[in-house]
Amino acid sequence: MIDLYENLSWLPPPAEDFAAQCKALGASSEADGTAIGLLATAAHDINQLTRLAKTIGTVKSRAGSLRPLTPFRLGILSNGTMDYFVTALIATAPRFGIALDVIATSFDQALQEAIDPSSDLRLANPDAVLVALDYRGFGLQATLGDKVRSTALVEAAMNQLDAICAGLRSSQAISIVQTVVPPSETLFGSLDATVSGTTRQMCEALNIAIRQRFTGGEALVFDSAALAETVGLARWHDPTQWALAKLPCSLSMIPLYADHLCRLIGALRGQSRRALVLDLDNTLWGGVIGDDGMNGITIGQGDATGEAYLALHRYALDLRQRGVVLAVSSKNDDEVARQPFREHPDMLLKEDHFAVFQANWSDKASNIEAIANALSLGLDALVFVDDNPAERALVRQKLPAVAVPEMPSDPALYVRTLAAAGYFEATTFSAEDRKRSAYYEGNARRLELQSGSGDLDSYLRSLKMSATFAPFDALSRNRITQLINKSNQFNLTTRRYTEAEVAALERDPNVFTLQVRLSDQFGDNGMICVVICRRADEAWMIDTWLMSCRVLKRRVEEAVLLQLADHANRHGIFELHAKYIPSGRNSMVKDHYAKLGFTAMNPHSATDGETEWRLRVADIARTDLPLEIKSFEMSGTAVGEISPV
């Protein structure tokens, strides 16, 4: 099963005409980030990644952008040779919706590049910097039995990392600190990790400190040590390639390394998947329920195959617990498909664990589109798991944005394959994340209610919505930062801010901020909107306006505008100015300001779709909205209830 990781076996194999596709893309007169993303979604080896990276460079140099891929600038600090890694990262990033630029730095100059304001790295203004030093770069040489000396070496390594990250913070770059992969060779065998002063013991101590110090906020941890241990240290390290070229890992492991690092970068920009759509027959149980009946399907304890399917049930429930929403897409009669969930005593998954249950005879692609609509999610938020290769191929062809892992023939390997694919990579985990599946399940119930309502306004009033408005605060800062960096579709400018920058916005007297939460009769939707306004004389420039797609068409944006009007009046603000900056993924809001009554300031001179808007506060109409408003007072400390608008 090591080949699962080394060969990226959850991805489909490269197209037979891969080289020809690269050549055609390189010769094309248009920048096609979508085509590049599709080409990147295959299990390429290092040579193919190098070819694809060259193609990407050619396209970008000619077209200037790779829309709709999200741009991201990554610096790398290392004591190893990273050339192969750079090309692999550039070619892998489009798989996760990212157009990556890499700023390579001088060999073994990590601290100098980080702290010197005039260094090439600092001048390049990267979005993030990977700090990829190994045990040799930290000087973790054996000091056997000398606990004082070994502790001092670990502390010195942490001091070095602290200094690097402090230098990067001053440039507003996020630090991605890589854990240290220990060598495979030991001095004491099984005792190696417990003897003070062995390299393994110091690596483990350093990694514990890294994970504690650099998780969330201004730094993230890239756990390369855990990745190396997954495939095996002896397989990860190649002494020959280190001696010849100072390669930090085996050449064959670079595609895997690039995949894992690009997952993390994608998660930083909100590209992680949010929903798991499951087939039923031979996916959640063995056999075909329509043909074999309840007694003929295989699921449950005491049978190797039945227990393999149960393992997938447990994994799906664990994903749901951390906020991944579950859905079913099955070719079946609805009543027949639901029967095992209702009657089979060994089923762990139950009907109410699924936000959407689609069982009919329509094609899977159409059903998956319906599931995305029911959940108010983009197709790029979905992962579809099906044992049938024909169904997988159909969904990949018709819905290329949906992630469709290649599944092994042995159901005992389903969980390992799905976990290895890393579709649900996270950079943080909050109480709000745990509630996310409930949010989407509630959304599906709202749509059921809407289908039975006579008109939209009656439906909205029947929801009994309540919106709470408050300024940014320390308690919500982590979630606000998460939304700013993850929201892509309903996001007018897609500007990104670190947690420290969000904290600075809270203190800035020339900045007005809003966080908005929404609840209704089906439950709490959590934080669904973030707005940042910057003062310019007697106007507010709306720097950021983003909302959750879960609350589309519920007139929340009108309530937000009225809140802006109320607070603008109290601050002596007479106009609201705004921009729409297209990102390739936010076209759904290109008419947002027009719908709210703003006037276009540059309707004929807009370049690349960017538009500017203006609205006099006095011209904002007071309308009857189907929701209760709870707004904060001017002090920004108390939240008081006012009458519905």
Side-chain angles (χ1 to χ4, degrees), residues 408-594:
S409 58
D410 183 356
L413 302 177
Y414 282 0
V415 171
R416 180 171 290 187
T417 300
L418 187 56
Y423 297 117
F424 306 107
E425 183 80 24
T427 59
T428 59
F429 182 56
S430 65
E432 194 132 352
D433 291 324
R434 290 195 295 272
K435 300 175 184 176
R436 187 181 298 118
S437 60
Y439 295 156
Y440 287 108
E441 288 160 15
N443 219 51
R445 293 194 294 272
R446 292 178 191 101
L447 283 177
E448 290 178 9
L449 176 64
Q450 183 178 1
S451 65
S453 298
D455 61 84
L456 179 60
D457 196 58
S458 296
Y459 157 68
L460 292 177
R461 293 190 183 282
S462 71
L463 287 177
K464 300 176 182 177
M465 294 182 291
S466 177
T468 301
F469 292 81
F472 289 6
D473 56 33
L475 186 63
S476 302
R477 190 180 301 150
N478 180 267
R479 176 59 178 160
I480 291 166
T481 306
Q482 187 183 54
L483 278 175
I484 288 171
N485 287 288
K486 284 189 173 184
S487 300
N488 293 303
Q489 293 179 285
F490 199 126
N491 192 331
L492 276 298
T493 56
T494 59
R495 293 190 175 103
R496 312 298 187 181
Y497 292 107
T498 66
E499 193 164 330
E501 289 173 318
V502 171
L505 293 172
E506 296 170 20
R507 300 187 299 268
D508 192 330
N510 291 313
V511 172
F512 175 79
T513 62
L514 277 181
Q515 54 169 308
V516 188
R517 296 177 179 270
L518 186 72
S519 61
D520 58 38
Q521 65 164 314
F522 292 109
D524 185 5
N525 289 274
M527 191 183 299
I528 51 88
C529 178
V530 168
V531 179
I532 300 169
C533 297
R534 297 182 184 273
R535 181 163 192 151
D537 296 326
E538 296 181 340
W540 272 347
M541 179 68 196
I542 302 175
D543 171 280
T544 296
W545 187 336
L546 60 90
M547 292 180 62
S548 168
C549 294
R550 296 195 306 271
V551 297
L552 287 176
K553 299 181 180 179
R554 292 171 69 176
R555 301 186 69 184
V556 177
E557 58 271 34
E558 295 176 52
V560 173
L561 181 62
L562 291 178
Q563 281 291 298
L564 289 177
D566 287 344
H567 290 285
N569 280 324
R570 297 171 190 172
H571 281 81
I573 298 298
F574 297 103
E575 283 195 339
L576 301 179
H577 295 177
K579 278 188 178 182
Y580 163 67
I581 302 175
S583 68
R585 300 187 66 194
N586 65 350
S587 59
M588 68 180 295
V589 292
K590 64 184 176 66
D591 297 323
H592 171 75
Y593 288 117

Side-chain angles (χ1 to χ4, degrees), residues 249-436:
C249 72
S250 168
L251 200 62
S252 65
M253 293 293 171
I254 292 178
L256 177 65
Y257 178 99
D259 184 88
H260 278 248
L261 181 56
C262 288
R263 291 176 193 178
L264 189 61
I265 294 170
L268 268 173
R269 288 297 182 256
Q271 306 288 4
S272 294
R273 306 283 169 161
R274 301 183 187 182
L276 178 64
V277 183
L278 295 160
D279 174 49
L280 297 181
D281 294 328
N282 291 311
T283 299
L284 284 185
W285 54 69
V288 178
I289 184 64
D291 295 336
D292 303 324
M294 281 280 288
N295 295 328
I297 63 171
T298 305
I299 182 75
Q301 300 289 344
D303 178 89
T305 302
E307 290 183 8
Y309 288 110
L310 280 183
L312 181 57
H313 285 227
R314 291 191 189 94
Y315 187 67
L317 287 170
D318 288 344
L319 287 174
R320 182 176 180 271
Q321 186 177 204
R322 55 151 288 193
V324 174
V325 62
L326 303 182
V328 162
S329 178
S330 173
K331 284 187 176 178
N332 256 309
D333 290 324
D334 185 78
E335 283 299 312
V336 173
R338 293 178 187 268
Q339 188 180 8
F341 297 98
R342 295 171 175 174
E343 301 178 20
H344 201 293
D346 291 319
M347 290 288 289
L348 294 179
L349 284 167
K350 304 297 183 183
E351 275 183 276
D352 59 4
H353 292 136
F354 297 98
V356 182
F357 197 105
Q358 290 275 12
N360 52 45
W361 295 103
S362 300
D363 66 274
K364 292 285 181 75
S366 297
N367 276 340
I368 290 170
E369 282 189 297
I371 288 169
N373 289 333
L375 297 173
S376 298
L377 285 173
L379 290 168
D380 59 355
L382 272 55
V383 177
F384 174 56
V385 174
D386 196 315
D387 69 292
N388 189 325
E391 298 287 9
R392 296 197 299 264
L394 172 71
V395 173
R396 283 196 193 106
Q397 179 184 5
K398 290 194 171 184
L399 305 176
V402 176
V404 185
E406 284 293 283
M407 300 303 290
S409 58
D410 183 356
L413 302 177
Y414 282 0
V415 171
R416 180 171 290 187
T417 300
L418 187 56
Y423 297 117
F424 306 107
E425 183 80 24
T427 59
T428 59
F429 182 56
S430 65
E432 194 132 352
D433 291 324
R434 290 195 295 272
K435 300 175 184 176
R436 187 181 298 118

